Amino acid sequence: MSIRNRLSGNEAVAWAMRQINPDVFAAFPITPSTEIPQYLAQFAADGPGDPEFVTVESEHSAMSTCLGAQAAGARAVTATSSAGLAYMYEMLYVTASARQPVTLAVVNRALTGPININNDHSDSMGARDAGWIQVYAENNQEAYDNFLQAMRIGEKARLPIMTCQDGFITSHAVENILLEEDEAVKAFVGEYEPENYLLKKENPLAVGPYDTCPFYMEHKVQQAHAMLAARDIILEVAADFEKTFGRKYGMLEEYRMEDAEAALVLIGSTAGTAKACVDRLRQRGRKVGLVKVRVFRPFPARELAQALGHCGAVAVLDKSEGFSGCGGPLFAETRSACYDLPQRPRLINVVYGLGGRDCAVEDIETVYNRLQRILETGQTGELYTHMGQREATDDGV
């Protein structure tokens, strides 16, 4: 039976970690994820739970420790943010190429510089092609639920997985939340039983050897195939999660999209703000909706194209600047997903919220107003814009 409580997003993730009780937790503190190792260290010291808590000198070392522990046959987890994730960069690739299912809690924060401790998605988006599964949370409940599902997904796919939540917005805000009983969580996650590992004397092996050109590409193709297969694993675990705990998740979430003519595509906590705007505009008779991308890697191209196929105009909101000159990373993926539709919606990209810049219901409404003009005139206008900066136009877009 679910237990009602009030927790911050960081507390919720640490609680999920405690219930899973991994073998190893290695971490170096960085705002705004510091509370996660702090809470878990307290759990390790006072119980319940007894993970081996390893204090290291850097985030690079934290991921190296997790990789070594996972390769030895242990379950390993860590948490980080921003420059900490960037400092792990080399080891993110090594961990993925070694096919070690480390579970990483990312509390999204703007990637320095200039130095900034507030939320955007530049840290995890900068690691989007490292070979990790990426799952994003809108609120504290999702942050908790995502972590419970993540370990099973990563272990079955044999890929590392990061669960992402918005720094301060969810990580430090306290919300009502449903927690599950310890035994139910342990039964759902199950035991980790790797087929091969370093300490298995019956089958000695090396992890992470030098890969010469006759072998490197084959291993990269295996990684690519594993990411393709991860989609079905994510849905399989989500279906079991719904059956076990009653909360439903998919690759994405459609909100009031059944007859939407104009829609937003976005990631993370801004979905809550956008849903409030959708409800407001629906009361005025506007046919609007939104799609929240929950899983960014593997990208839900098929589901997204299906959700947007009947729309006339779509705005993709990126909380990360891609510096491509053509838009942000979510826009690039969404546009590609829609390319083969028989009747494509007119797509625009709005980059917003960088470094924690506020995004209110009224700001979201200006985007829908722009989509309405596109529907009325058939003219898309400028494809790639920013919202919220001081030199913005009068309507903010």
Side-chain angles (χ1 to χ4, degrees):
M1 181 179 294
S2 299
I3 304 161
R4 293 186 179 275
N5 207 327
R6 291 186 299 275
L7 297 176
S8 70
N10 280 344
E11 288 178 292
V13 169
W15 195 267
M17 289 179 176
R18 179 199 66 75
Q19 292 181 304
I20 293 168
N21 196 23
D23 300 299
V24 173
F25 185 101
F28 188 87
I30 183 170
T31 302
S33 66
T34 300
E35 288 181 322
I36 296 176
Q38 175 186 336
Y39 287 125
L40 202 67
Q42 184 175 341
F43 291 141
D46 303 334
D50 57 351
E52 184 70 26
F53 191 89
V54 185
T55 55
V56 293
E57 73 276 11
S58 72
E59 291 86 355
H60 187 284
S61 299
M63 185 52 62
S64 299
T65 301
C66 288
L67 170 58
Q70 199 81 47
R75 272 180 167 155
V77 301
T78 186
T80 196
S81 301
S82 184
L85 185 63
Y87 201 6
M88 291 179 177
Y89 191 74
E90 175 191 14
M91 297 313 299
L92 295 179
Y93 278 82
V94 175
T95 302
S97 67
R99 303 290 299 279
Q100 298 299 324
V102 173
T103 308
L104 168 61
V106 176
V107 182
N108 288 115
R109 166 187 151 187
L111 193 57
T112 301
I115 295 173
N116 182 288
I117 65 165
N118 299 306
N119 168 251
D120 66 29
H121 297 155
S122 53
D123 49 3
S124 57
M125 285 296 168
R128 64 187 178 273
D129 297 331
W132 286 60
I133 298 169
Q134 288 192 359
V135 186
Y136 289 78
E138 175 187 342
N139 50 44
N140 300 5
Q141 185 71 61
E142 282 193 41
Y144 173 74
D145 291 349
N146 286 350
F147 203 90
L148 295 186
Q149 295 173 72
M151 196 162 280
R152 265 183 65 177
I153 293 166
E155 288 173 0
K156 187 162 185 179
R158 289 186 57 207
L159 288 173
I161 181 167
M162 58 179 75
T163 65
C164 306
Q165 63 168 318
D166 286 353
F168 296 108
I169 299 171
T170 59
S171 66
H172 285 62
V174 175
E175 294 180 350
N176 292 329
I177 188 172
L178 293 176
L179 300 172
E180 303 305 329
E181 295 177 339
D182 289 0
E183 293 306 314
V185 169
K186 289 175 182 177
F188 175 79
V189 176
E191 297 294 328
Y192 182 43
E193 297 178 353
E195 183 179 354
N196 294 301
Y197 49 93
L198 286 173
L199 299 183
K200 186 179 179 180
K201 60 182 180 181
E202 296 83 3
N203 183 30
L205 79 159
V207 174
Y210 177 61
D211 221 358
T212 57
C213 58
F215 303 101
Y216 182 89
M217 186 165 180
E218 283 70 20
H219 289 152
K220 287 300 170 186
V221 171
Q222 288 176 7
Q223 279 183 256
H225 288 172
M227 190 62 77
L228 284 170
R231 177 189 175 278
D232 289 339
I233 295 170
I234 292 166
L235 295 175
E236 174 190 316
V237 172
D240 192 28
F241 188 89
E242 181 184 9
K243 180 181 176 182
T244 305
F245 301 122
R247 296 185 291 279
K248 184 175 182 178
Y249 294 99
M251 299 291 285
L252 49 74
E253 178 191 341
E254 297 182 43
Y255 187 75
R256 307 195 75 166
M257 285 294 294
E258 59 280 352
D259 62 346
E261 297 173 350
L264 302 186
V265 178
L266 72 172
I267 287 175
S269 62
T270 307
T273 306
K275 287 174 182 176
C277 186
V278 168
D279 292 342
R280 176 189 292 183
L281 295 178
R282 282 278 178 173
Q283 289 174 357
R284 301 176 192 167
R286 302 262 296 271
K287 293 182 178 181
V288 298
L290 70 85
V291 179
K292 180 185 75 180
V293 174
R294 173 175 172 260
V295 181
F296 187 74
R297 285 289 184 269
F299 192 73
R302 182 169 58 199
E303 293 89 345
L304 193 54
Q306 183 176 356
L308 300 177
H310 63 277
C311 295
V314 173
V316 181
L317 270 60
D318 267 290
K319 211 171 189 180
S320 175
E321 175 54 68
F323 298 112
S324 67
C326 303
L330 181 59
F331 178 64
E333 300 278 5
T334 302
R335 208 174 186 202
S336 176
C338 293
Y339 182 78
D340 290 324
L341 283 171
Q343 185 172 345
R344 293 192 296 269
R346 296 179 183 273
L347 272 82
I348 60 171
N349 184 213
V350 178
V351 178
Y352 78 103
L354 301 183
R357 185 61 57 92
D358 285 342
C359 180
V361 172
E362 291 73 21
D363 299 311
I364 299 295
E365 186 171 344
T366 65
V367 180
Y368 279 117
N369 289 342
R370 183 176 170 192
L371 293 177
Q372 185 62 36
R373 292 196 294 270
I374 293 172
L375 290 173
E376 291 170 355
T377 66
Q379 301 298 312
T380 301
E382 197 171 356
L383 218 62
Y384 158 51
T385 59
H386 294 77
M387 176 173 72
Q389 73 277 19
R390 280 187 293 275
E391 64 270 23
T393 54
D394 290 342
D395 65 357
V397 181

